[in-house]
Amino acid sequence: MNLSFGLVKTAADDQADLLLAREAHWLRELEEVRELEGQVPRVLEEGTVPPGRRYLVLSMLPAGGETRAFTEDHARFLASLRKARLRTLEFDVSGTGQWLSRSIGKARAFASQKQIRTLEASYGDCETALLYWTGPYVLAQGDFAPWNIRSLGSQLFVSDWGHAHADASPLDDVLHYLMIQRALNSRPVTVPVLRQAMQQASEFALLAYPEWSWRPPVVGALTLVYLLGVVLDRSLRRGSIEPGDAVVDAYWKLLEKRSAWMPK
């Protein structure tokens, strides 16, 4: 009899079923990326248990430290993700652009007219700023945050890939790492904080994706893409644009103040 020891995840509802299916899919694909060997979990087993809920057995998380700073190791890991998926696209035909457009349509079922106007205007600003820009869209981990990352010397071990998605902006994971910690802890996510995150994301992009232009208006527009994506994702799951959600509240205020921080 073969015994496998690992971390067992079992879905409790339909949403968790989808997350586990997505995690298994992307982890199997990442097995083929040599640069990420030993830095992501391996799928040991998957299947269903009564009453048809999905389960997933993953290799155990290694012992390691956690850091709140965005380091060269974080940048190197994210740069390696380009080996998994990369497409050069215009914004309006990218998976991200099309998902945002569809999601705003779905939000009409529960959002107020004023909220819809803010969402549509934000999306319009993304389209305008990225109209003549063709750039890389890649695989994003989707919740790239300290609690999902272990530091192993000069390498990282990154877990929880249920929110991973292709055709993402290469700035998404960087911005998420820098901003989600403050938002979840109800610390102010002010315009100066956002500008600092944009600067770090720009520096990352210049090093990891030097083949493309990273002018300030492009970085600003992709930052708006990130904020809009997080607001829509969390709101669609709740069925409302909930001001009681600390992340939605913080990011929504930045959407409303976008003229103050988006480069012209």
Side-chain angles (χ1 to χ4, degrees):
M1 180 174 63
N2 293 324
L3 296 176
S4 61
F5 297 92
L7 173 66
V8 181
K9 293 185 173 184
T10 304
D13 53 32
D14 291 344
Q15 180 63 31
D17 273 330
L18 293 174
L19 292 177
L20 289 187
R22 184 184 298 172
E23 182 164 21
H25 167 79
W26 287 117
L27 288 179
R28 291 196 185 282
E29 186 159 322
L30 291 175
E31 287 179 5
E32 307 301 319
V33 181
R34 181 176 54 83
E35 289 83 353
L36 296 178
E37 185 176 355
Q39 297 187 76
V40 297
R42 290 181 297 108
V43 177
L44 303 179
E45 186 181 344
E46 61 178 315
T48 58
V49 295
R53 291 298 181 198
R54 181 179 293 272
Y55 75 87
L56 193 59
V57 183
L58 304 176
S59 56
M60 293 294 290
L61 301 182
E66 180 181 303
T67 177
R68 300 285 170 174
F70 186 83
T71 69
E72 291 183 2
D73 298 334
H74 294 77
R76 186 163 48 250
F77 179 90
L78 293 179
S80 297
L81 278 182
R82 68 180 293 171
K83 303 291 184 178
R85 288 287 184 97
L86 185 150
R87 297 204 300 165
T88 301
L89 299 167
E90 295 178 354
F91 171 71
D92 61 344
V93 299
S94 69
T96 287
Q98 294 181 347
W99 181 87
L100 289 174
S101 181
R102 290 195 305 271
S103 297
I104 291 172
K106 293 178 181 178
R108 292 181 181 278
F110 53 78
S112 68
Q113 286 300 312
K114 181 179 179 181
Q115 290 171 330
I116 291 296
R117 285 196 296 270
T118 297
L119 294 173
E120 289 181 336
S122 297
Y123 181 82
D125 287 346
C126 295
E127 281 191 309
T128 299
L130 297 173
L131 183 61
Y132 300 108
W133 184 76
T134 300
Y137 289 86
V138 300
L139 174 65
Q141 193 269 352
D143 191 17
F144 196 71
W147 44 87
N148 291 328
I149 300 170
R150 298 286 183 273
S151 180
L152 310 174
S154 62
Q155 284 191 331
L156 302 181
F157 188 88
V158 182
S159 58
D160 284 341
W161 289 79
H163 294 282
H165 53 284
D167 265 14
S169 158
L171 305 190
D172 274 6
D173 281 338
V174 182
L175 292 167
H176 191 75
Y177 190 92
L178 295 170
M179 295 175 61
I180 196 66
Q181 302 175 61
R182 295 183 67 93
L184 284 174
N185 289 320
S186 298
R187 296 167 62 197
V189 186
T190 59
V191 168
V193 167
L194 179 61
R195 285 178 175 157
Q196 185 177 14
M198 289 167 60
Q199 178 61 36
Q200 289 184 258
S202 177
E203 292 169 359
F204 163 79
L206 288 168
L207 289 173
Y209 299 91
E211 308 97 309
W212 289 277
S213 167
W214 299 103
R215 295 177 294 106
V218 170
V219 174
L222 292 177
T223 301
L224 186 56
V225 166
Y226 163 70
L227 295 171
L228 188 56
V230 172
V231 166
L232 284 167
D233 178 60
R234 296 177 76 93
S235 298
L236 289 174
R237 280 187 274 148
R238 287 175 174 264
S240 66
I241 299 177
E242 180 56 61
D245 181 320
V247 176
V248 170
D249 182 58
Y251 286 17
W252 187 267
K253 290 174 181 175
L254 291 172
L255 294 182
E256 293 181 322
K257 295 177 182 176
R258 61 191 181 280
S259 62
W261 57 263
M262 282 191 72
K264 305 299 181 184

